[in-house]
Amino acid sequence: MARVADVSMHPPRNGADLQDWHAAAAADALARLATSANGLDRDEAARRLSASGPNQLPAAPRQNPVLRFLGQFNNALIYVLLAAAVAATALGHLVDGAVILAVVLVNAIIGFIQEGKAEQALDAIRDMIAPHAIVVRDGERHKIDARRIVPGDVVVVEAGDKVPADIRVLRARGLTADEAILTGESVPADKMEEPVAEDAPLADRRSMLFSGTLVPTGQGMGVVVATGSSTEIGRISGLISEVGAVTTPLLAQINQFGRWFTWFAIVMAATLFAFSTLVRGYNPVDALMVVVALAVGVVPEGLPAVITITLAIGVRRMAARNAVVRRLPAVETLGATSVICSDKTGTLTKNEMTARHAATASGVILATGSGYAPEGKLTDLAGGDLASDPVRDDLMRAGLLCNDADLIENDGSWRVRGDPMEGALVALAAKAGLHPEAEREAWPRVDEIPFDAQHRFMATLNRDPAGGLRIFVKGAPERVLSMCSQEAGAAPDAPINMEYWRQRLDEAAAKGERLLGFAVKTAPPDVERLDFGMVETGLTLLGVVGFVDPPREEAFKAVALCRSAGIAVKMITGDHGGTAVAIARQLALADEPKAIEGVALDGASDEGLRKVAEEASVFARAAPGHKLRIVRALQANGHIVAMTGDGVNDAPAVKQADVGVAMGLKGTEAAKEAAQMVLLDDNFTSIVAAVHEGRTVYDNIRKVIGWTLPTNGGETLVVILAIAFGLVLPMTPVQILWINMISSVTLGLVLAFEPAEPNVMQRPPRRRDAPILSPFLIWRVVFVSLLFTLAVLGVFEYAIGRGYSEAGARTMVVNTVMVLEIFYLFNVRYLHMTSFSLIGAAGTPSVLVAVAIVVVAQVAFTYAPFMHALFDSAPVGFTDGLLIVAIGVASMVILELEKMAMRRFWPAAWRAD
């Protein structure tokens, strides 16, 4: 890493000299990197980016595609199949050996493709969640992709940010950094401008911010000294946890099930081989081919691959709906979400603040206009013009100066650069007749205490036009009131009229307004830096301003959809209780939203909190610890909880939740690091859309299992019964392999692409402990396997009775199996409703393509001479072909009747599914 040597290591004691010393150290650091406090210009930044490369760590090495393909053959069943193929070829059964190898190859290709899809999805996720940073270029602040930061860039950081590169601190105000990933220290390190020795240990470099660390508190500015692999964390590559492929609990469960089933199949095949050779007198080679084919038929070896594809498709669908899944377990968990804990601002509401009311000791005024456009005027509540009021002017000025936001006009549209509430204050000041730029030039800022969630206020030190110094404070009304000793405009010794201000706060909260309090204090003329002791007491209260942030139009529908899906929505906010309840009523979070203040949770036991968390819909004035306890209480009640958050104070609760959701636009890097999902549009509707997709993914996984196991079971049961009772095999081993190969690459794959069933959001959430094989699916495996077995044996006996040869009868059986699988596919597409509908019959493009491939393959199997030679098949008459289709239709009718009976006579098992 490029080290920046500092000026003299011994700071002076005198205040003025200390300021000069800081300035000299900062200037030296900037000069050594050939930059300035105004940052780099665009051309120089582009040149340095070309020279130094993007600010990112090298991607983890990918496995060679050839090795990845060969890895698909690394499991016990494949070894058995390969051994069988070698044995069959050595014994002269060339066709059987070739078909077995084809089955193995097809399965390997499926696995190879699904792994490639997973890598592509994860690459897309990495790109979508790339962090951003605020840099100063050409004297202006810009938000850029952190990968485009270069050495010499001047970067601004604040509480909640993730440090994007190694940075020499030039300016710090209450700045700390959590450097646990580098130093192992659990306590955040204080950061300051003072230089340290060049050989200081990493943990003692107080003038440095390191890439990958988090900023819990404060605000600062610094110059980038190293990026990418040159950073400290770049040197310690093992400490960086990048988004990567994760084996989800469900997939791990499926893999375990597949391994168990594989060994079960091997044991069953060995038993059947012994029985067929020792009891039934089969030729050992023929018996070997039968049991190998049987093992291929019974084991759902492609199930993990198809399920992984289903998950990957779900990830992509969610991303298309502005919900980026960072960790794959969230895909399967989302569908079971039973409670969504959401912040209010920007998620349920528009996050377009408008300063609507302002209250001083002399009365309340109304501001017209909306959004950030500085258009409108101030009137009294009756709509009349206002008399001159110096206190009101001071209130407007305080809102403008204790403020870091700017308003930007673009083609007649106004937007805010900075905090939305601060932008609304700039617009309010303009409506009051103050010119923002002129006022800020006339009242230059000397120092400030940035807003911090712990202290709940911001303070600035400004020099007035006459040369004096004034301290302006802005913050939560209760906090500001506690810091004040008098009211502006009142007698110096008159106490604050707390009853009046409580009434103003309650009135504003009842209107759903968010509130900020403002105060002022004259500072001594020699003060150059602010500290907390100067503002904690002795302030003069100017007034409060009420802001409205109306609910998003789409949030009304999203909340209603959640309630219909059995998902409770709970608002956890730092706002005043009245404000939160007003918004909750508008959104109909509950029939009658019940609210509780965070302070009431402090004394509640864990058991008591469980009851409160269940009953309340709104948690107001909630601190980070409250949010964490609420999430834990809901989880203790058996709920699967999704928690949204945007700030560093939300990160603990977001991480604790079953599905942590971070805001992509206004969310801090700390919240994104803790989350499993990131919303690209900060919209509550996107959470609901993600739940919808999560339920669809889980439904499709169940459909894949519900189709695969019964169809495999039917094939297996037919062969077992034939051997057990000494019957002629209805299918030869090579024909069983043909069925398995064709169906696995067509019908077995399309269910992963199924759209959501129409009632997917009208069902209650599934239980946290819901098993993979629900009672309904277990019943389906048994019932469908028996139905397939009866149909196959019946067709075989019918064909022999009609005078077909064994080859012809077996051809009818193979076609019957494929037709049954096709019709069962249409049946299983809708597990919660009937498949007898126009939409159900039409199918999806994926289904129709798969069916077309199977039909073409079966026509070739039945009528192509070369297929006759390969698979010992024979032509089937047209009438008998219609009979096979009729059997498929009849099976679907039976299965639809079974659905109706299940809903009526076994509703508990149906609902549990």
Side-chain angles (χ1 to χ4, degrees):
M1 181 181 71
R3 298 295 301 277
V4 179
D6 289 299
V7 296
S8 169
M9 302 306 303
H10 304 288
R13 296 180 181 273
N14 179 272
D17 291 341
L18 182 63
Q19 288 289 96
D20 293 340
W21 183 73
H22 283 159
D28 182 70
L30 292 168
R32 289 175 180 274
L33 288 156
T35 185
S36 70
N38 289 327
L40 302 170
D41 60 45
R42 295 177 185 272
D43 293 338
E44 177 62 16
R47 188 192 67 77
R48 294 192 183 191
L49 181 63
S50 176
S52 64
N55 176 35
Q56 61 185 15
L57 295 177
R62 294 275 181 89
Q63 188 179 23
N64 184 285
V66 175
L67 295 178
R68 184 157 59 87
F69 179 72
L70 293 176
Q72 308 304 317
F73 299 91
N74 185 24
N75 77 54
L77 177 61
I78 298 300
Y79 295 150
V80 173
L81 292 178
L82 291 174
V86 171
T89 304
L91 295 170
H93 292 255
L94 299 180
V95 173
D96 292 338
V99 173
I100 294 173
L101 287 175
V103 170
V104 171
L105 186 61
V106 165
N107 285 324
I109 291 172
I110 291 175
F112 181 78
I113 291 173
Q114 66 87 8
E115 284 190 4
K117 287 181 178 291
E119 283 190 357
Q120 291 172 10
L122 291 169
D123 286 343
I125 290 170
R126 290 189 185 98
D127 291 339
M128 297 178 82
I129 63 173
H132 290 75
I134 302 297
V135 301
V136 178
R137 288 184 179 172
D138 292 321
E140 295 182 352
R141 295 187 179 189
H142 301 275
K143 184 177 183 179
I144 68 169
D145 187 328
R147 292 173 297 190
R148 301 188 65 81
I149 288 176
V150 297
D153 263 325
V154 175
V155 176
V156 178
V157 294
E158 59 184 17
D161 284 352
K162 184 177 181 180
V163 179
D166 282 3
I167 298 170
R168 165 66 167 88
V169 178
L170 303 177
R171 184 168 171 271
R173 296 294 182 270
L175 185 64
T176 63
D178 181 353
E179 299 177 341
I181 61 171
L182 285 174
T183 65
E185 296 286 343
S186 57
V187 179
D190 293 325
K191 296 296 177 179
M192 54 198 70
E193 302 99 327
E194 285 85 347
V196 298
E198 187 171 349
D199 58 352
L202 191 67
D204 294 336
R205 297 181 195 171
R206 295 177 300 174
S207 59
M208 289 293 299
L209 290 169
F210 297 105
S211 177
T213 60
L214 298 176
V215 178
T217 61
Q219 188 180 63
M221 178 182 289
V223 60
V224 174
V225 299
T227 60
S229 299
S230 299
T231 61
E232 287 294 333
I233 202 166
R235 296 182 178 187
I236 314 171
S237 58
L239 296 180
I240 292 293
S241 301
E242 298 185 23
V243 177
V246 179
T247 299
T248 70
L250 177 65
L251 191 56
Q253 211 172 358
I254 290 294
N255 286 333
Q256 183 178 8
F257 171 78
R259 287 192 295 271
W260 174 85
F261 213 91
T262 297
W263 286 110
F264 167 77
I266 292 173
V267 172
M268 181 192 68
T271 303
L272 195 62
F273 177 79
F275 179 83
S276 59
T277 54
L278 300 177
V279 178
R280 293 300 179 192
Y282 274 67
N283 180 285
V285 175
D286 294 336
L288 176 64
M289 296 311 303
V290 169
V291 298
V292 167
L294 190 63
V296 175
V298 70
V299 175
E301 69 280 352
L303 191 58
V306 177
I307 288 176
T308 304
I309 291 174
T310 308
L311 292 174
I313 291 169
V315 168
R316 291 188 175 189
R317 284 178 176 174
M318 289 179 189
R321 301 182 73 169
N322 294 314
V324 179
V325 176
R326 296 183 71 247
R327 299 182 176 95
L328 286 180
V331 179
E332 55 189 77
T333 310
L334 271 167
T337 299
S338 57
V339 175
I340 299 176
C341 296
S342 176
D343 190 10
K344 174 177 69 68
T345 305
T347 309
L348 294 170
T349 60
K350 292 182 177 180
N351 198 23
E352 292 182 357
M353 305 301 295
T354 300
R356 181 63 67 207
H357 292 94
T360 64
S362 59
V364 181
I365 59 174
L366 172 70
T368 63
S370 63
Y372 302 117
E375 300 164 356
K377 63 178 183 176
L378 306 184
T379 66
D380 62 27
L381 290 179
D385 293 332
L386 295 172
S388 176
D389 183 356
V391 175
R392 184 184 65 243
D393 293 341
D394 284 342
L395 173 62
M396 301 296 144
R397 183 172 289 109
L400 176 62
L401 299 178
C402 190
N403 190 321
D404 291 322
D406 295 300
L407 295 181
I408 301 171
E409 182 183 15
N410 185 13
D411 296 331
S413 175
W414 290 85
R415 64 181 179 87
V416 62
R417 183 167 62 193
D419 182 80
M421 291 180 70
E422 292 189 339
L425 287 171
V426 176
L428 178 65
K431 294 173 187 178
L434 301 179
H435 191 284
E437 292 183 4
E439 287 293 322
R440 287 173 170 173
E441 286 182 8
W443 294 71
R445 183 182 297 185
V446 178
D447 196 19
E448 79 274 344
I449 297 176
F451 178 82
D452 185 275
Q454 181 179 355
H455 301 288
R456 299 169 64 202
F457 72 84
M458 172 185 178
T460 62
L461 177 64
N462 294 80
R463 191 173 300 281
D464 64 32
L469 291 173
R470 204 87 61 91
I471 299 172
F472 295 103
V473 175
K474 170 190 71 184
E478 298 91 339
R479 177 67 169 133
V480 173
L481 278 168
S482 70
M483 299 160 68
C484 294
S485 57
Q486 60 182 345
E487 294 174 342
D493 57 348
I496 295 176
N497 186 349
M498 297 303 295
E499 182 60 31
Y500 170 82
W501 289 108
R502 272 194 290 269
Q503 184 179 354
R504 298 286 79 79
L505 298 185
D506 290 341
E507 286 176 356
K511 297 171 183 150
E513 294 183 350
R514 190 171 180 177
L515 297 167
L516 282 177
F518 295 85
V520 67
K521 182 179 182 179
T522 300
D526 59 343
V527 172
E528 295 183 349
R529 296 192 68 169
L530 276 179
D531 59 52
F532 285 99
M534 298 172 62
V535 297
E536 291 282 359
T537 58
L539 299 179
T540 299
L541 180 65
L542 293 173
V544 296
V545 175
F547 303 80
V548 292
D549 181 15
R552 292 175 179 261
E553 288 80 0
E554 61 271 23
F556 291 94
K557 182 178 179 181
V559 170
L561 191 59
C562 281
R563 295 187 66 183
S564 72
I567 302 171
V569 180
K570 298 184 183 292
M571 182 192 298
I572 307 179
T573 177
D575 274 359
H576 190 276
T579 306
V581 170
I583 297 295
R585 285 199 182 102
Q586 293 181 54
L587 291 171
L589 290 190
D591 294 334
E592 183 53 45
K594 179 180 178 181
I596 187 167
E597 296 278 345
V599 66
L601 303 179
D602 291 331
S605 65
D606 290 343
E607 191 64 32
L609 184 57
R610 288 178 60 178
K611 182 178 179 181
V612 170
E614 199 71 33
E615 295 175 351
S617 300
V618 176
F619 299 88
R621 286 289 185 257
H626 298 145
K627 298 178 183 181
L628 183 60
R629 290 191 68 202
I630 292 166
V631 170
R632 286 175 173 168
L634 290 168
Q635 290 173 325
N637 288 342
H639 289 292
I640 293 181
V641 182
M643 172 74 196
T644 72
D646 59 359
V648 65
N649 58 328
D650 298 319
V654 169
K655 188 173 183 179
Q656 172 68 37
D658 297 282
V659 182
V661 182
M663 304 295 107
L665 295 178
K666 66 186 181 73
T668 61
E669 294 304 322
K672 293 176 188 177
E673 280 292 305
Q676 289 85 40
M677 188 172 77
V678 178
L679 298 184
L680 299 182
D681 58 356
D682 292 7
N683 194 330
F684 182 81
T685 304
S686 296
I687 305 175
V688 181
V691 172
H692 180 278
E693 291 297 340
R695 289 191 173 191
T696 302
V697 165
Y698 190 76
D699 272 1
N700 288 350
I701 288 173
R702 288 173 45 251
K703 290 172 185 177
V704 169
I705 295 171
W707 182 87
T708 303
L709 296 186
T711 53
N712 287 4
E715 298 171 23
T716 304
L717 193 56
V718 166
V719 175
I720 290 175
L721 289 177
I723 293 176
F725 292 102
L727 306 176
V728 176
L729 286 177
M731 295 175 286
T732 65
V734 74
Q735 290 170 348
I736 295 174
L737 294 173
W738 165 259
I739 293 171
N740 189 75
M741 180 175 64
I742 293 301
S743 62
S744 65
V745 297
T746 54
L747 307 179
L749 212 58
V750 295
L751 290 170
F753 300 88
E754 278 295 292
E757 292 191 33
N759 65 348
V760 69
M761 291 299 282
Q762 277 73 54
R763 306 196 302 261
R766 63 182 172 90
R767 302 191 318 272
R768 178 185 287 272
D769 58 349
I772 296 176
L773 288 178
S774 64
F776 175 67
L777 282 183
I778 292 173
W779 159 254
R780 262 295 168 101
V781 171
V782 175
F783 182 72
V784 175
S785 295
L786 290 173
L787 185 64
F788 274 38
T789 300
L790 291 174
V792 167
L793 293 177
V795 166
F796 186 73
E797 291 300 320
Y798 164 82
I800 294 296
R802 284 263 294 172
Y804 275 95
S805 64
E806 285 187 1
R810 284 169 174 160
T811 303
M812 282 193 67
V813 164
V814 171
N815 280 295
T816 300
V817 170
M818 297 304 293
V819 167
L820 288 171
E821 290 188 353
I822 289 172
F823 278 96
Y824 181 49
L825 177 73
F826 278 86
N827 171 268
V828 87
R829 289 183 62 227
Y830 295 99
L831 287 177
H832 294 274
M833 56 183 288
T834 180
S835 299
F836 284 149
S837 64
L838 183 60
I839 297 176
T844 63
S846 299
V847 168
L848 297 179
V849 168
V851 170
I853 293 172
V854 170
V855 169
V856 170
Q858 285 307 118
V859 168
F861 176 87
T862 306
Y863 299 107
F866 73 94
M867 296 294 278
H868 297 165
L870 288 173
F871 295 99
D872 195 25
S873 56
V876 173
F878 179 75
T879 304
D880 291 326
L882 293 179
L883 174 65
I884 292 171
V885 174
I887 291 172
V889 173
S891 71
M892 187 166 180
V893 171
I894 293 171
L895 290 170
E896 288 298 314
L897 292 173
E898 174 253 0
K899 276 187 192 176
M900 295 172 57
M902 288 286 293
R903 283 197 295 266
R904 181 171 181 180
F905 298 111
W906 198 11
W910 182 270
R911 286 194 298 270
D913 198 58

